[in-house]
């Protein structure tokens, strides 16, 4: 054990151990920008920037849970909530493919080992030591759980959790798929299958509603764009564009612009006119994905589509 690790072991046995500081390095895109990271700390001990190992960490309120090591042989899937002040995290998400290739490094040390530059006249609590880390853990961003103007919450997963497992060339990490549904990585291009909760489309009485069989190439056909002047019946499908998420033909080339992500909806009642799908969930139900492996199987592994036929690897098979 190195000298720094010996110091950590001794500090853990102190009657009154010094405060533990927690640091995070957010790597928004490990594919395009593997060496770029945003260093932050929670600000619970210091309200200003903190320098650790020569890196300046800015204070951003953070809540985390689930980093503890389990005794049941299961890998940890911690959750982390980061303050979204001035929409900082939302901006990072929009500019980095919704963190589809992101990772987060979590570092911890004791106050007594912080860099001397944090204090006038050197560290008064001990002696700076760059090697004295309690832990240095790397996690992948498994999925974004929620996003609002107050905070953004993520579920993290270990790189060892189902690493390199694929379904039709789509990486599946841990319990959830981390790609944006119908976006890059997912690439599903078929008709609506179910709602986000995994339930079938259904009207108010509980009767199932089967999406209509669209024309070939419907994804790029503007006739399916929702119109306030059109009248829709049960089973009709329509889309609204999401201006916050754009699709690139090549995810590694930000200039290969293709268009905004389309959110698809299924009408579940008859005679619907001038009712925006986004604002009328009683009349329209959004096409969604539960982000589980079972949802991928329904769309990609020889599963018949609602109107017959099979989706294939590109989602464009219409036979059957």
């Amino acid at each position: 054990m190195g000298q720094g690790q010996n110091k950590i072991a001794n500090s853990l046995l102190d009657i009154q151990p010094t405060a533990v500081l927690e640091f995070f390095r957010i790597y928004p895109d490990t594919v395009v920008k593997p060496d770029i990271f945003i260093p932050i700390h929670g600000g619970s001990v210091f309200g200003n920037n903190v320098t650790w190992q020569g890196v300046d960490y800015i204070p951003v309120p953070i809540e985390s849970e689930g980093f503890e090591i389990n005794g049941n042989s299961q890998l940890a899937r911690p959750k982390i909530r980061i303050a979204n002040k001035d929409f900082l995290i939302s901006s990072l998400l929009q500019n980095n493919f919704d963190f589809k290739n992101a990772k987060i490094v979590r570092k911890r040390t004791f106050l007594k080992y912080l860099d001397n530059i944090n204090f006038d006249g050197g560290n008064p609590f001990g002696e700076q030591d760059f090697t004295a880390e309690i832990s240095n853990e790397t996690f992948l961003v498994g999925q974004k759980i929620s996003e609002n103007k107050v905070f953004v919450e993520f579920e993290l997963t270990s790189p060892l959790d189902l690493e390199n497992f694929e379904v039709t060339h789509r990486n599946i990490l841990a319990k959830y798929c981390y790609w944006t549904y119908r976006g890059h990585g997912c690439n599903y291009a078929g008709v609506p299958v179910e709602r986000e909760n995994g339930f079938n489309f259904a009207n108010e009485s509980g009767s199932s509603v089967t999406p209509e069989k669209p024309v070939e190439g419907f994804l790029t056909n503007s006739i399916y764009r929702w119109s306030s002047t059109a009248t829709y019946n049960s089973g009709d499908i329509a889309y609204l564009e999401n201006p916050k998420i754009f699709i690139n033909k090549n995810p590694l080339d930000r200039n290969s612009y293709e268009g905004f992500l389309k959110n698809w909806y299924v009408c579940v009642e008859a005679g619907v006119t001038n009712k925006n799908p986004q604002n009328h969930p009683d009349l329209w139900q959004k096409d969604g994905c539960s982000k589980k492996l079972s949802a991928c199987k329904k769309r990609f592994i020889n599963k018949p589509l609602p109107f017959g036929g099979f989706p294939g690897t590109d989602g464009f098979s219409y036979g059957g």
Side-chain angles (χ1 to χ4, degrees), residues 32 39 46 49 54 64 75 89 99 111 138 162 168 172 175 199 204 210 226 232:
V32 179
F46 287 102
N49 290 8
S64 60
L75 295 171
I89 306 302
F99 278 17
L111 176 64
T138 298
L162 293 184
T168 61
I172 301 294
K175 185 178 178 181
F199 294 160
E204 271 195 321
T210 302
W226 177 79
Y232 297 90

Side-chain angles (χ1 to χ4, degrees), residues 172-190:
I172 301 294
L173 295 170
K175 185 178 178 181
Y176 298 100
C177 166
Y178 62 94
W179 297 108
T180 296
Y181 180 47
R182 291 185 178 274
H184 282 300
C186 169
N187 294 332
Y188 178 64

Side-chain angles (χ1 to χ4, degrees), residues 125-156:
F125 302 101
E127 182 180 351
Q128 74 170 16
D129 189 334
F130 294 166
T131 67
E133 285 187 326
I134 300 175
S135 60
N136 185 349
E137 305 163 290
T138 298
F139 293 90
L140 304 178
V141 175
Q143 67 163 341
K144 180 180 68 177
I145 298 175
S146 62
E147 178 183 0
N148 54 57
K149 64 182 180 180
V150 179
F151 67 87
V152 181
E153 182 175 11
F154 301 98
E155 182 181 65
L156 309 182

